[in-house]
Amino acid sequence: MPQIRPITDLSKTTEISDICHSRREPIFLTKNGYGDLVIMSMETYEVLTEQKPASTPAPRRYSDTDLDALDALWSGLKAASSTESD
């Protein structure tokens, strides 16, 4: 499941760094309930941006279940954000 965190968590630099390195996938950061930034380790960035030989495993692909959960989370964040601004 993708990590989605509030942008205020950037103050927890060691924790964010540990998550990026251990999970080897991006962390999505939100600001006021909306997607704002994506942060990842340098190793993950290099894997995602380099041309890989056929023997190198592909980066993790998200399943439809992961994407559905992410869509539901974003919808909930948007709904919560819109009720807060009313």
Side-chain angles (χ1 to χ4, degrees):
M1 186 92 168
Q3 282 281 316
I4 301 172
R5 314 276 299 236
I7 200 164
T8 55
D9 278 3
L10 281 178
S11 63
K12 303 172 186 174
T13 55
T14 301
E15 179 183 345
I16 294 293
S17 177
D18 290 345
I19 292 169
C20 285
H21 288 283
S22 67
R23 295 181 63 111
R24 296 184 178 155
E25 64 183 10
I27 295 176
F28 299 89
L29 300 173
T30 62
K31 182 177 180 182
N32 299 322
Y34 293 94
D36 188 52
L37 298 171
V38 177
I39 188 168
M40 65 184 79
S41 69
M42 290 178 63
E43 294 86 1
T44 301
Y45 176 78
E46 289 170 356
V47 168
L48 292 173
T49 58
E50 72 182 8
Q51 295 293 329
K52 295 171 282 307
S55 62
T56 302
R60 178 174 181 237
R61 299 276 183 210
Y62 293 105
S63 69
D64 288 340
T65 304
D66 287 338
L67 296 175
D68 290 343
L70 185 58
D71 284 342
L73 180 61
W74 279 120
S75 296
L77 289 171
K78 287 179 187 176
S81 176
S82 68
T83 58
E84 289 176 7
S85 62
D86 291 340

